[in-house]
Amino acid sequence: MFVSALLTSVGINSAICFSFLVLYSIFRKQPAYYGIYIPRLVAEGKTKQRSDFNLERLIPSANWMKKAWMLSEEELLSSSGLDAVVFMRIVTFSLKVLLFAGVIGIFVLLPVNCSGDQLTNVDIVNISNNSLDVFTISNVKDGSHWLWFHFSAVYLITAYICSLLYYEYDYISSKRIDYFCSSKPLFHQFTILVRAIPASAGRNISDSVENFFTEYHPSTYLAHTVVHRTSKLRGLINDAKTHYRRLVRLQSNPSQINSNRGSCFGLFRRKVDLVDRYGKRLGDIEQHLRLEQSQVSSAGKEVPAAFVSFKSRYGAAIAMHMQQSNNPVHWVTEQAPEPHDVYWPFFSSTFMQRWISKLGVAVACFLLTALFFIPVLIVQGLTNLNQLQIWFPFLKSILTITFISQIITGYLPSLILQLFLKMVPPIMECLSSIQGYISLSDIKKSACFKVLWFTIWNVFFATVFSGTALLQLSLVFEPKTIPTRLAVAVPAQASFFIAYVVTSGWTSSLSELINLFALISSLVTKPFSGNSDEELEVPSIPYHQDIPRILFFVLLGITYFFLAPLIVPFLLVYFGLEYIVYRNQFINVYAPKYETGGKFWPIAHSCIIFSLVLMHAIAVGIFTLKGLPLASSLLVPLPILTLLFNDYCRKRFLPNFSAYSAETLIKKDRADENDPTMAEFLDKLVTAYADPALMPVSFTATADSLRRPLMSTAEG
């Protein structure tokens, strides 16, 4: 009864029931059947999609969990890349931190909090009508010596997290170098991007690049590819693909091939062969495309930028890191991404357009943050039943129903906030794409950073401030009660965040496992797409959406474990689900489309450091308000030491994430000297960075095949 009442007080009974209902689907996940969204296995030919009903699919089974649990890090590295390994290391790091925090919080701090008598008006018997303040530090008496347990917990968790951070940074840094040394030759390792190429009289861009690098890098220079503005060509190619897909759908649905068209209320009708119609349009688009390709490829249509390739990795590194001209704004170099990772629309914009775009993105992020305060205020209004009755007096009779009030004040606010947050990652990805990044991976990494800090500010700070400071302005007229009331109000937000962990965390993990929207989309579109299993597009994991969510929950665990330890078990359940679910997803669903070499870890490291400093600031304020100034004074050196530790890690490990050392590059180049396939690789490197929009595109051969009769009679 006590546990049920406790959960009811948080308002998450319905969320937990929903989660456990969905949890049943975990035990019936059968990767070999069509009922689960498994595009990676289908694309790799390891299974076939089945449309027939099979009762065996509904029988609970945990075989997939065993396979996911048994997956080794080396297997994950070989199949999904270093980014997947770093992602799982973030999850395991979070589990280690929360397990340590849970032991301290649940077995030490929680009994201390419950034994306090600061909140004398809390009815333990009827706790469903109260908040969770009785389980927080707010219930410990001001000036009590029991507060030193919380003080010690802050020091212990800080030391433990810093030691884990150092180990993980060291491990991932070494893993990054080992992964590079064991990888096969890749095009981007031998290539740099050169921009701001100065114009020369009587020479085009290609000739200028050729003369410059043959003169100053004669022994290592291999070839170059000049970039063109191809935005119009990409539009034509997209139109051609759209018409081609329409032809494929018509071929798969014979009833739509002939269409009756008419005029004047259908009195005069004529039959139209849609295959012939779309085929002619496709031919016209293809002819126009070839004409535009010839015009764009001609001299004078070039962008002052080029991909320059070298015979060795060390030669490319020398050219990239050295200033190429006496004028530092000319011949600007940077590392080139892999050809499939290049974001070609970047080159269709001018320098002024990119500069304006960066300014516009900053303004857009600020406006988005400001506008997001509206749903946050609405959400916080829903969590306060008294305030809700003032805003909507006609709902007072409905709000007196216990179940309705618990749903509205407990589950609904977190759900609404989560729905609004779903829109943030696509928006941030769109903003990052116009910010001036040359690769898709850089766009994703920038979007990850934006989503992370947007979530921290708008979910954590806005929730706490709107739920305490804005609603406690009446305390201005009672200044003597400010310390006590604030010490109660700040940790009291734990009830909201517990509900948020369930609605956003538990359900997101389980929905990730089922992938319901992707599965439904696959079921609906596959019969009309005409694509075979071999043509199935395999998705990549949205790191910019998943990593910020994980790191935000780590922040909640670190900042709230000593204030309201009851949040830790909910977070442990979440990270336990994340650990097993995402290992399965890397096996069956996702395939890497790009590789950053583990560059998401520095973002995670910075977020953890920020979480520690935030915890220290809250602890100093809490101990001050609780009448323990000595503890506050002794905590002041802790954030300083944490920041010094962060500075040491940045100087010790971060350079390995921005570039590889000469030692590593030369060793790798010497190892490739005995590789008989290097000559063939260098031949492919010469044309590897050709713009796909300038490559020959032909849909007419396929379109002609679509005009053949759907049924033919075999001749005897």
Side-chain angles (χ1 to χ4, degrees):
M1 290 293 293
F2 178 77
V3 176
S4 176
L6 175 61
L7 295 178
T8 304
S9 68
V10 186
I12 58 176
N13 276 355
S14 57
I16 295 178
C17 292
F18 171 78
S19 299
F20 280 117
L21 286 176
V22 181
L23 189 62
Y24 172 77
S25 63
I26 289 180
F27 295 103
R28 70 177 186 88
K29 183 173 179 63
Q30 304 288 339
Y33 296 106
Y34 186 79
I36 297 300
Y37 184 65
I38 47 169
R40 178 167 186 170
L41 287 185
V42 174
E44 293 176 354
K46 296 180 180 179
T47 187
K48 291 291 183 180
Q49 292 189 353
R50 294 175 54 179
S51 58
D52 58 308
F53 177 78
N54 192 331
L55 184 61
E56 184 182 356
R57 289 184 302 174
L58 303 179
I59 300 176
S61 173
N63 290 335
W64 72 271
M65 297 179 66
K66 180 180 178 181
K67 293 179 180 179
W69 182 268
M70 297 298 293
L71 180 68
S72 66
E73 188 174 278
E74 292 303 321
E75 292 173 337
L76 180 62
L77 182 66
S78 61
S79 63
S80 300
L82 187 59
D83 286 337
V85 173
V86 169
F87 181 87
M88 292 309 303
R89 299 290 297 192
I90 294 174
V91 174
T92 54
F93 172 87
S94 306
L95 275 172
K96 293 175 183 177
V97 170
L98 290 172
L99 281 172
F100 184 81
V103 171
I104 298 176
I106 299 300
F107 296 104
V108 179
L109 301 183
L110 187 60
V112 171
N113 294 342
C114 292
S115 63
D117 56 358
Q118 180 75 13
L119 305 177
T120 56
N121 60 336
V122 175
D123 185 4
I124 298 295
V125 177
N126 193 21
I127 193 165
S128 60
N129 294 328
N130 299 280
S131 68
L132 294 182
D133 292 347
V134 68
F135 301 104
T136 68
I137 195 174
S138 300
N139 195 39
V140 182
K141 190 175 182 180
D142 294 350
S144 172
H145 64 277
W146 293 108
L147 290 171
W148 288 104
F149 283 93
H150 300 80
F151 170 86
S152 303
V154 172
Y155 260 93
L156 284 174
I157 197 68
T158 301
Y160 180 73
I161 291 177
C162 287
S163 62
L164 277 183
L165 281 175
Y166 182 87
Y167 171 78
E168 290 295 331
Y169 223 145
D170 185 28
Y171 179 84
I172 295 175
S173 177
S174 301
K175 201 74 175 179
R176 171 179 161 85
I177 296 174
D178 294 340
Y179 183 70
F180 174 81
C181 293
S182 61
S183 64
K184 62 181 181 180
L186 298 174
F187 295 130
H188 76 281
Q189 298 172 355
F190 296 80
T191 307
I192 64 173
L193 173 63
V194 182
R195 292 188 289 170
I197 301 174
S200 301
R203 291 181 181 175
N204 56 28
I205 299 296
S206 181
D207 292 338
S208 298
V209 174
E210 180 79 23
N211 292 334
F212 183 88
F213 283 94
T214 52
E215 180 177 357
Y216 297 110
H217 301 271
S219 61
T220 57
Y221 169 72
L222 177 65
H224 71 276
T225 301
V226 177
V227 180
H228 299 77
R229 287 192 176 93
T230 56
S231 56
K232 187 176 181 179
L233 290 178
R234 284 190 296 275
L236 291 173
I237 292 175
N238 291 334
D239 289 342
K241 290 181 178 179
T242 301
H243 282 76
Y244 173 71
R245 285 192 293 267
R246 178 60 178 166
L247 285 171
V248 173
R249 286 195 294 270
L250 289 173
Q251 178 69 10
S252 63
N253 192 354
S255 62
Q256 295 183 0
I257 290 182
N258 293 319
S259 174
N260 290 326
R261 298 187 63 188
S263 60
C264 192
F265 305 102
L267 296 178
F268 305 98
R269 296 180 180 272
R270 59 188 178 89
K271 286 190 175 181
V272 178
D273 188 344
L274 294 181
V275 170
D276 184 65
R277 179 184 174 189
Y278 280 97
K280 289 180 180 179
R281 286 187 181 180
L282 186 61
D284 293 340
I285 293 174
E286 187 174 331
Q287 184 177 2
H288 188 196
L289 177 62
R290 291 196 186 100
L291 180 62
E292 288 292 331
Q293 284 179 333
S294 62
Q295 293 178 353
V296 171
S297 301
S298 62
K301 300 290 185 178
E302 302 165 326
V303 176
F307 290 99
V308 182
S309 301
F310 296 83
K311 300 175 184 178
S312 66
R313 300 175 183 84
Y314 184 70
I318 290 294
M320 182 181 68
H321 292 290
M322 290 187 63
Q323 182 176 314
Q324 298 298 315
S325 171
N326 292 331
N327 188 340
V329 299
H330 288 166
W331 300 99
V332 179
T333 60
E334 60 183 292
Q335 181 69 50
E338 272 290 286
H340 64 271
D341 191 23
V342 176
Y343 183 66
W344 293 102
F346 164 81
F347 300 103
S348 297
S349 59
T350 63
F351 172 81
M352 183 58 66
Q353 289 174 336
R354 289 194 294 270
W355 185 84
I356 295 175
S357 296
K358 289 183 178 180
L359 182 61
V361 167
V363 175
C365 289
F366 175 80
L367 293 177
L368 183 63
T369 302
L371 290 174
F372 203 81
F373 272 103
I374 298 175
V376 169
L377 290 174
I378 295 174
V379 164
Q380 286 304 313
L382 291 175
T383 61
N384 192 316
L385 189 60
N386 295 330
Q387 188 71 30
L388 199 60
Q389 291 175 350
I390 295 175
W391 289 354
F392 306 101
F394 57 90
L395 295 177
K396 190 172 183 179
S397 59
I398 300 178
L399 294 176
T400 56
I401 303 175
T402 304
F403 177 76
I404 298 297
S405 64
Q406 290 169 355
I407 292 295
I408 293 178
T409 61
Y411 178 59
L412 191 59
S414 300
L415 183 61
I416 294 175
L417 186 61
Q418 179 62 16
L419 291 176
F420 278 100
L421 285 173
K422 285 289 185 183
M423 300 184 296
V424 175
I427 294 175
M428 292 303 183
E429 184 178 5
C430 179
L431 292 177
S432 297
S433 66
I434 63 176
Q435 201 171 355
Y437 293 104
I438 66 169
S439 67
L440 297 172
S441 57
D442 285 340
I443 291 174
K444 296 285 187 179
K445 193 170 65 172
S446 174
C448 176
F449 182 82
K450 291 183 176 67
V451 173
L452 173 61
W453 295 112
F454 180 91
T455 305
I456 292 175
W457 176 256
N458 285 280
V459 178
F460 185 84
F461 287 107
T463 297
V464 170
F465 292 148
S466 62
T468 59
L470 294 181
L471 298 181
Q472 301 291 337
L473 290 179
S474 60
L475 295 177
V476 174
F477 303 100
E478 301 176 12
K480 294 182 179 180
T481 63
I482 289 179
T484 303
R485 294 287 296 274
L486 282 182
V488 172
V490 173
Q493 290 298 321
S495 59
F496 169 80
F497 284 121
I498 290 177
Y500 182 79
V501 169
V502 175
T503 55
S504 176
W506 291 14
T507 54
S508 65
S509 298
L510 298 174
S511 62
E512 171 67 31
L513 178 65
I514 300 174
N515 234 319
L516 185 61
F517 293 106
L519 175 60
I520 294 175
S521 176
S522 177
L523 291 172
V524 172
T525 61
K526 183 176 175 59
F528 308 101
S529 64
N531 293 337
S532 63
D533 287 348
E534 289 75 15
E535 296 171 334
L536 183 66
E537 182 179 359
V538 183
S540 61
I541 181 172
Y543 289 115
H544 67 294
Q545 176 179 331
D546 296 332
I547 290 180
R549 184 178 67 248
I550 291 174
L551 293 176
F552 177 72
F553 286 132
V554 177
L555 180 142
L556 288 182
I558 293 175
T559 55
Y560 267 88
F561 96 97
F562 80 102
L563 297 174
L566 202 62
I567 196 175
V568 177
F570 292 91
L571 289 170
L572 283 173
V573 173
Y574 165 73
F575 281 108
L577 290 172
E578 291 284 278
Y579 179 80
I580 195 69
V581 166
Y582 276 100
R583 289 170 74 88
N584 173 80
Q585 301 302 84
F586 282 121
I587 297 174
N588 298 325
V589 177
Y590 296 126
K593 289 187 177 179
Y594 57 85
E595 178 64 53
T596 68
K599 290 185 178 180
F600 286 103
W601 175 253
I603 297 177
H605 177 91
S606 299
C607 180
I608 302 301
I609 293 295
F610 175 81
S611 302
L612 287 175
V613 175
L614 178 62
M615 177 189 65
H616 300 154
I618 294 174
V620 170
I622 287 292
F623 290 133
T624 300
L625 296 176
K626 298 294 286 184
L628 206 64
L630 179 59
S632 299
S633 302
L634 293 176
L635 280 176
V636 171
L638 203 53
I640 299 175
L641 294 174
T642 302
L643 293 176
L644 290 175
F645 165 77
N646 178 56
D647 185 64
Y648 170 79
C649 288
R650 290 177 59 87
K651 293 179 180 178
R652 170 64 178 84
F653 300 113
L654 190 58
N656 289 333
F657 285 81
S658 58
Y660 294 101
S661 64
E663 175 186 2
T664 301
L665 295 174
I666 293 174
K667 285 182 178 179
K668 185 65 174 174
D669 287 336
R670 288 175 179 173
D672 288 341
E673 291 177 357
N674 299 324
D675 188 352
T677 63
M678 280 302 296
E680 180 183 358
F681 171 81
L682 293 177
D683 290 339
K684 294 180 180 179
L685 179 59
V686 173
T687 58
Y689 284 89
D691 194 330
L694 295 175
M695 302 297 289
V697 178
S698 177
F699 293 97
T700 52
T702 309
D704 290 339
S705 67
L706 294 175
R707 297 191 180 94
R708 298 172 184 172
L710 295 177
M711 298 180 64
S712 59
T713 304
E715 297 180 0

